[in-house]
Amino acid sequence: MTQVFFHCSNTKKVFLDRRGAEVDDLAEARDFATRVVRSVTNERSLEDWRDWVVHVSDDQGDELFVMPFSLVLGKPH
């Protein structure tokens, strides 16, 4: 298991994940990142989340991958 952190940002703001989560592999980290996006965007807000990204990093601070919120949310209708 590896401790992974899911930091969210756009060009104006950054939300740091200080707790992280234990994952077994990159597939589990991807699934967790998807849940992070859904959790953040489920709150009522006027924020357009499509320009946000999740930066997934290991406990050494090395970025494993980036997941754009738009990948989960899709295009606006």
Side-chain angles (χ1 to χ4, degrees):
M1 284 204 156
T2 303
Q3 185 76 10
V4 178
F5 297 87
F6 301 86
H7 308 300
C8 300
S9 71
N10 69 3
T11 58
K12 298 175 186 168
K13 299 177 191 170
V14 174
F15 297 137
L16 295 178
D17 174 13
R18 300 200 188 279
R19 293 184 320 175
E22 293 277 332
V23 299
D24 289 324
D25 53 30
L26 285 176
E28 188 175 353
R30 182 199 64 224
D31 293 344
F32 196 95
T34 299
R35 290 193 303 273
V36 167
V37 171
R38 293 195 191 286
S39 175
V40 168
T41 59
N42 278 340
E43 296 180 19
R44 287 192 177 251
S45 169
L46 297 177
E47 183 81 39
D48 181 3
W49 295 104
R50 293 181 200 292
D51 66 339
W52 284 75
V53 295
V54 180
H55 300 269
V56 181
S57 306
D58 65 15
D59 58 353
Q60 300 297 311
D62 294 325
E63 190 166 83
L64 303 174
F65 63 89
V66 174
M67 176 182 284
F69 277 38
S70 60
L71 184 70
V72 176
L73 300 175
K75 295 181 181 182
H77 299 290

